[in-house]
Structures are given as C-alpha cells and as structure tokens.
Amino acid sequence: MTTQQIPIIEASFDGILQHLAAGDLPALTRDLAPFSATELVPLFERLDLRQRAVLFRLLSKQRAMELFEALPPSLQGDLLAGLQNTEVSRLFTELDPDDRLWLLDEVPSVLATQMLRGLPEQDRLQTAELLGYPQGSVGRRMTPEYVSTRASLTVAETLERVRAHLADAETVYTIPVLDGTRVVVGIISLRELLAASPDDFVADLMQSAHTAVATESDEFAARRCADLSLLALPIVDSEERLVGMLTIDDAIRIIEHVENEDAARQGGSEPLRRPYLSTPVRTLVRSRVVWLLVLAVGATLTVQVLEIFEATIEQVTVLALFVPLLIGTGGNTGNQAATTVTRALALGDVRPRDILRVLAREFRTGALLGLLLGSLGFGIAWVFYSVQIGMVIGLTLLAVCTVAAVVGGCMPLLARTVRVDPAVFSNPFISTFVDATGLLVYFGIASAVLGL
C-alpha cells in the first residue's frame, strides 16, 4: 500500500462508521468501491465483529475471498463467527491447505470441527494429514500442493507437468526432483527449465536440495528458508521422502509471528495475536495481568533485602539514594544480554551447548561495561559525597554489571535446554533476580568499605 493510499482510507473511515450506524448499505457499497481487497485490511482491523460481517457481505465474491485471505487468522476466525454456515464453508474450502491450518488454530474447536465437515473429501483428507503433525512443527505450515519432477525426465516433460498443475499448485517456481521412491535427490527452478533446451534431462540441470524434516520446528525451517533466500523449501519425512513445500511467504509469516511473540514476552505480556484496536479490553488485561502478578511477587524479594539492611541504611542514609541507579543499571544490563542471546538462538548463531563460551563472553562484556560505568559512578560520588562512597558505587556497578550480563546471557540457553521459550525466561525474571542480588552485593560492599 502506498503512503498516498493510507490517508485516503483514514479519511473514509469516519464516513464508513457513520453509514454503518445509519444502516445505509448503498452508501457503504460506494465507500468500499474505490479500494482493493488488500487496501481494506487496515479498515477491517479497526472494526468490531458485527461491522466486519456487514461490510464483508457487501463485497463481491471475488473481492470477499481476496480480503479474507489477506486478513490475519485471528480476524478470519472472528469473521466466520458472524457469517452463515454456507458462507463459512465456501471461504474455508477456497483457502490453501496450509492457510486452513492457521485458521483452525484460531477458532473454537466446535467451529473447527464444523468447518472440517463441510470440506470436500479430498480437501478434508489433505487438511487432516497436516493436522496430524505436532503443534509448532513445519509440517503444519507446509503446502501439499506442489509440482515435482524426476531426474530421468526431460525439460519438455517437466514443463508439461508444470502446465498441468498451474491451477492447483501453490508454488511452481521451485520444483523438487524425486527418485522412484519419492526421495528428494535435487531441486530445479522454473527459470532454469525455461532457459534450457527442451531435450535436456533434469538430471543434468538440477542442484543439490536443502530440506527440512516435517516434525522439526517451523521457526527453524522458516529461518533456514529465509537465510538461504529460497522461494520454497522441500519438506520431507524421516526417510527423506517429499511430503510438502514451505513457501517463502509462509516462512516470512512464521518468522513475524514468532518475533511478535518474543517481543511481547520480553516486555512482560502475552502476545495478542490480533490487531490492537480489534482486541477486546478483557483480552488486553488477561495478556498483562499474569506477568504483573509474577513480577509483583518477585519484587517482594527486593523489599526483603532492603529490610535486612535497614540498619545499614539508617547509619549511612546516602546509600538509599543510589538504590534506583544500581537496580536500573543491573536490570538493563541483564536485559540487553538476554535479548542479544535470545536473538542469536533464534538465528542459530548459538546453541545450548555453547553456554560456556557465552558465559565467558558475557563475563568479559559485563566486566568492561561495569568498569566504564563504575569509573563514572566513582568520580561523581567522590565529588559530591566522599571517596568511600565513590568506592562503594564504583565497585558495586562493576560487580552488578558483570553478574547481570552473565545471568542475562545464560538464562535463554538454560530455557532452551528445558524446552521453554527463551523470551519467557528473559527480561521479567532477569530484572527480578538482578534487583535482589544487586542489592545484596551493594550493601555487602558498603559494609566492607565503610566498616558498618
């Protein structure tokens, strides 16, 4: 969508709402006419369920199908709840098999069962086969609608295969090459076929193929597809036989979905899985309240530490002034390390077995950061208070930054080892842990330096 089109849709939004409230269907039809299906997606994201259903019924069948395919799966599920059974069946049948799985993950089980029953037998069997793969596996995101060829076939014969499946194949630009047992032995692109002589054999043109096993993580397979700049990645079973293809658009969709989840959890909330303006307030509350309760309980550790050192604070009240600085610095250092390592895990740059190397790197990084910040803190505290207070602040910043970096760097790796989302283990828990340990270190150093 161009930048010029966005203000036009925004300007039409108020008018569409007014016509919806008045029930003026002819005016609504005129309002929607200038926009393509994809241009209407931002509008539908801002409407409630009833309003979406009304506007959807005003579109032609072709535009309605195009819009439905462009909507996020969560909004697709909401929209189906407001449509009649015949409309639901038609929309669900016309989706690609892998897109049906995205939608089934979003709708209630009763509606999912109803939609599956309404599918033609062949489509129902295809969808059921994809549903048989584990949740979160690439098998649930691949498409079984593809074109394959054999190494013994000619370019002309392969192109004839492509033409025969143009109407039903989701991708024809990357063509896997199979042997007699459907094992992937290579890959060839449509571009290479078009550039070759019709009598050339596929065996002489094909390249080695990158594949992914259907039961492996959809995130890992999607990142591999994106990193290798592939238009499609062949998906195989445990015996290397082809079962589907992961297309680049689905790979990007998976990566965006995972990164949105990680961003939400690193901020201490659950992912919304739908546009913000179309998310009910109760869902917003539910996505945040659990983490707030966890953090509130964890914050009691900080209170307990402060209570233990209450007598120390009474003797040197200036120590209390630096508590927010030290807690904030430690938490930020830990969060930076956790975010960096979580990202490296997602990209495959590090694995849980690299924990000792990560520990060593974060120890050095934290120590250098602590040395820089500690030197600055020492100078400021010395000027405004005393050299002893400066030593306490400087040494504490050195220790806190080092501990926070090590903990923040190792926590995502430990989370991956126990099969927990690293984003869940990162920022909220690290902040709580570093706050409590940082205060222990702070008052311990203060007691030693000041002789308290």
Side-chain angles (χ1 to χ4, degrees), residues 128-198:
E129 184 178 349
L130 297 183
L131 282 170
Y133 290 102
Q135 190 79 24
S137 68
V138 70
R140 291 175 71 96
R141 303 304 176 212
M142 68 183 182
T143 176
E145 298 178 333
Y146 54 85
V147 180
S148 63
T149 188
R150 301 290 177 88
S152 58
L153 296 181
T154 64
V155 168
E157 291 171 323
T158 300
L159 287 174
E160 189 58 36
R161 281 183 169 224
V162 172
R163 294 188 188 96
H165 291 87
L166 280 176
D168 52 43
E170 186 171 340
T171 177
V172 297
Y173 301 108
T174 298
I175 303 171
V177 183
L178 312 179
D179 65 10
T181 59
R182 295 192 57 76
V183 170
V184 178
V185 295
I187 203 87
I188 189 168
S189 70
L190 181 60
R191 183 188 186 92
E192 291 169 329
L193 289 173
L194 293 173
S197 170

Side-chain angles (χ1 to χ4, degrees), residues 193-212:
L193 289 173
L194 293 173
S197 170
D199 297 327
D200 288 344
F201 285 98
V202 170
D204 299 327
L205 301 171
M206 68 183 188
Q207 308 290 327
S208 58
H210 298 277
T211 62

Side-chain angles (χ1 to χ4, degrees), residues 1 9 32 35-47 51-73 75-77 79-80 83 90-91 94-95 99 253:
M1 187 183 305
I9 295 176
L32 298 177
F35 304 114
S36 68
T38 53
E39 291 169 356
L40 290 174
V41 171
L43 171 65
F44 270 64
E45 289 177 345
R46 300 177 63 177
L47 299 175
Q51 292 170 332
R52 288 191 215 112
V54 171
L55 292 189
F56 191 79
R57 288 193 173 99
L58 296 177
L59 301 175
S60 66
K61 286 187 177 181
Q62 181 62 33
R63 287 183 75 202
M65 190 62 221
E66 292 173 358
L67 173 62
F68 188 78
E69 290 179 339
L71 289 174
L75 292 193
Q76 287 179 340
L79 186 58
L80 291 181
L83 300 176
R90 177 178 63 84
L91 290 170
E94 293 184 16
L95 286 175
D99 290 332
R253 188 178 183 182

